[in-house]
Amino acid sequence: MGLREQEIELVNCGKRTYTVTGHPSVQVLDEDLEPLEVTISHRASDIATVDDFGTVGGPVLLKPGERAVARLLWRNLVTDITRPAADGRYVRIAPNGGEKDAQTVPDLVDLGTTGKLAVSAWARPATDRPAPRHPVPGGTAPVGADTGP
């Protein structure tokens, strides 16, 4: 069936409360960091029937060390042999839309020829666990991280 689901985790590594609202802005990029033609939706019904995917709560306030999660959903299907398959190698994510606090991370998003990606709203994780102490090697600074002297 080619159904894929992935969780995005946002950790507040700063010293102040950070608020996320609604859906993150997501852009799928190729190996050269160029955007792919992808239709982004906030409804899973465009791709599959998934419980609680489209539920939008209010703002999520994150104290230092707290986390929020959002989900990505897509199908790796080839439905049109005249189009090349879209294989994203990176994802650019902005927690509250726009460019503020956006990060580009390596990620395989193999959309096939469907060109569709669903993005859920931010929510608290089902079970909270401590945030990682350090960002992933090779990644960028976590949201709220103190990057100055």
Side-chain angles (χ1 to χ4, degrees):
M1 302 279 294
L3 184 64
R4 311 273 199 263
E5 182 173 353
Q6 180 179 36
E7 188 172 87
I8 299 170
E9 180 179 85
L10 176 111
V11 178
N12 182 355
C13 295
K15 296 178 181 173
R16 296 183 210 118
T17 299
Y18 187 84
T19 303
V20 289
T21 305
H23 300 79
S25 173
V26 176
Q27 189 175 36
V28 181
L29 310 173
D30 68 13
E31 66 273 358
D32 298 321
L33 299 174
E34 294 296 325
L36 295 174
E37 285 189 43
V38 176
T39 301
I40 306 290
S41 170
H42 297 155
R43 295 186 333 256
S45 61
D46 292 342
I47 297 165
T49 302
V50 178
D51 293 337
D52 297 331
F53 192 88
T55 305
V56 178
V60 179
L61 280 73
L62 302 173
K63 294 177 184 173
E66 291 185 331
R67 303 174 310 121
V69 294
R71 294 159 41 199
L72 304 179
L73 184 72
W74 72 95
R75 283 194 187 275
N76 177 358
L77 294 176
V78 175
T79 58
D80 181 355
I81 60 171
T82 63
R83 286 179 54 179
D87 286 330
R89 299 296 179 198
Y90 296 88
V91 177
R92 184 162 176 80
I93 304 165
N96 286 308
E99 292 296 314
K100 186 174 174 14
D101 294 328
Q103 294 188 29
T104 300
V105 294
D107 194 8
L108 176 61
V109 180
D110 53 349
L111 297 167
T113 59
T114 63
K116 295 179 184 178
L117 178 72
V119 180
S120 76
W122 290 112
R124 292 219 172 261
T127 58
D128 212 1
R129 65 181 189 275
R133 296 188 72 115
H134 303 286
V136 176
T140 56
V143 170
D146 296 321
T147 56

